[in-house]
Amino acid sequence: MSVWITEAEVVRLMDMKGAIAALDRGLALEAAGKAENMVKTHAIWGGHHTLHAIGATFADEGFVGTKTWAHANGAAPLLILFDSHNGSLRAIIEAFALGQLRTGAISGLATKYLAAEGASDMALIGTGKQAMTQLAAVAAVRPLRRVRAFSRDGAARADFIARASKALGLNIEEASSVAQAVDNAAIVTLVTRATKPILASGMLAAGTHVNAVGAISPERTEFEPALLWSPTACRRCKTSRASSCNITGGTKRNGAPCVRYLPWSPKAAAGPRAPTSPCSRPWAWAFRISRSASKSCGGRASSVLAANSRTRNPSNCSPEGGLP
């Protein structure tokens, strides 16, 4: 028997901490070879309208599923679950709120494992529909003392700050620029529709953890490539395996070389599994600007993007200038 779960029911049944825990477990299953992500695909029409499809299999758990949506001046995403044993329809879930929870939760999970333990000062760049859950996710894993928020629309920014301060009980300040918002912030989250880099490497303090989640289609980019290829950056791509990537075999995008992905594994200390296919466009990035090469990655500078790696183990790093 299949069920239809509405947006209101999703909001009632799920919360951010539960979403973070679910992703933690799901990625651990993937690392153990018991789950697999479907490579994201999308088509574009009318210049900027997009059709998307993503999915995953959890065969031993008894279900597989896809999420699909069309974005054309609005969207109505659906998550469709099937029985992994007989292919029958198990559920259709209205997935707008669920998608916001999941997108926020992966930033929360990355922040939990990669940001400095005492990080309490956050910069939030972008105050649109995804911003509230991004902020809530970081607040769920770090005791935020101060948040600085910036977006181009001053009225929307002020409205968001008022709503988020009340909803989350956080001290949120209005910043007048990206540079002012990220100045000495320990955690930076980018959740924008930017098509040109808005975050430069020189803006960040040593030790900053960055979540960048807005570049979901090829024309978007939020930070300059130099952030990833700095010899003192220990980087982690939040995309699970090749999910949400275009498999290109080595295509460069926005001047940045393609990267390889390593699965997020709770057993990362034992050494990562072999890299999967190179990708040119991730769904989301998470990386940390090292305080010094000697304090990061076992004393070696890192030039590897380890997908969903949740330790700072030296085995996840490669010698300066090279990919594993």
Side-chain angles (χ1 to χ4, degrees):
M1 178 180 178
S2 60
V3 296
W4 186 288
I5 300 176
T6 67
E7 293 284 357
E9 290 170 323
V10 169
V11 172
R12 179 170 57 84
L13 294 169
M14 285 291 296
D15 60 20
M16 183 56 71
K17 288 186 177 180
I20 292 173
L23 281 175
D24 202 349
R25 183 169 183 270
L27 290 167
L29 287 172
E30 184 196 19
K34 296 181 178 181
E36 185 171 350
N37 266 304
M38 183 177 82
V39 175
K40 181 180 186 286
T41 184
H42 74 274
I44 301 175
W45 80 96
H48 62 280
H49 301 319
T50 51
L51 174 67
H52 302 259
I54 56 179
T57 65
F58 291 86
D60 291 347
E61 302 292 306
F63 65 92
V64 299
T66 61
K67 178 186 173 185
T68 185
W69 71 99
H71 194 286
N73 303 315
L78 294 174
L79 176 62
I80 306 169
L81 297 180
F82 302 93
D83 190 296
S84 62
H85 304 297
N86 59 31
S88 63
L89 179 65
R90 296 286 298 277
I92 298 176
I93 305 172
E94 295 177 3
F96 195 91
L98 188 65
Q100 289 180 321
L101 277 168
R102 186 262 321 179
T103 304
I106 197 67
S107 291
L109 193 58
T111 302
K112 175 182 177 180
Y113 288 112
L114 298 175
E117 291 294 332
S120 62
D121 195 331
M122 177 186 177
L124 178 68
I125 310 302
T127 57
K129 293 179 180 179
Q130 295 280 354
M132 186 73 76
T133 46
Q134 288 291 320
L135 180 54
V138 174
V141 298
R142 287 294 184 274
L144 295 179
R145 177 181 55 84
R146 180 174 71 155
V147 177
R148 284 166 285 173
F150 173 77
S151 62
R152 293 182 300 173
D153 187 326
R157 181 171 70 232
D159 177 69
F160 171 81
I161 290 173
R163 289 186 292 110
S165 298
K166 182 178 180 180
L168 302 175
L170 296 173
N171 174 28
I172 307 176
E173 302 173 7
E174 187 171 358
S176 60
S177 66
V178 173
Q180 184 186 50
V182 304
D183 184 34
N184 286 317
I187 300 167
V188 173
T189 293
L190 307 174
V191 55
T192 74
R193 300 174 66 89
T195 56
K196 294 182 180 179
I198 58 174
L199 184 67
S201 56
M203 295 179 177
L204 298 177
T208 303
H209 170 76
V210 179
N211 299 309
V213 305
I216 66 171
S217 54
E219 77 279 3
R220 297 192 197 175
T221 182
E222 297 186 292
F223 55 85
E224 64 177 20
L227 273 174
L228 291 179
W229 313 115
S230 165
T232 58
C234 216
R235 295 171 292 276
R236 310 289 188 266
C237 173
K238 294 191 308 188
T239 302
S240 180
R241 287 198 183 182
S243 173
S244 303
C245 298
N246 298 318
I247 306 304
T248 65
T251 298
K252 290 187 178 182
R253 189 75 67 122
N254 294 329
C258 67
V259 298
R260 298 185 180 189
Y261 288 82
L262 302 175
W264 185 337
S265 171
K267 298 180 180 178
R273 290 163 57 185
T276 60
S277 300
C279 301
S280 67
R281 171 65 65 179
W283 173 275
W285 304 89
F287 53 93
R288 186 180 182 199
I289 305 302
S290 305
R291 295 187 184 281
S292 68
S294 63
K295 293 183 180 180
S296 173
C297 303
R300 294 182 297 172
S302 169
S303 294
V304 59
L305 276 169
N308 294 328
S309 173
R310 52 186 209 176
T311 72
R312 301 188 189 109
N313 177 44
S315 65
N316 288 333
C317 300
S318 64
E320 181 173 346
L323 289 170

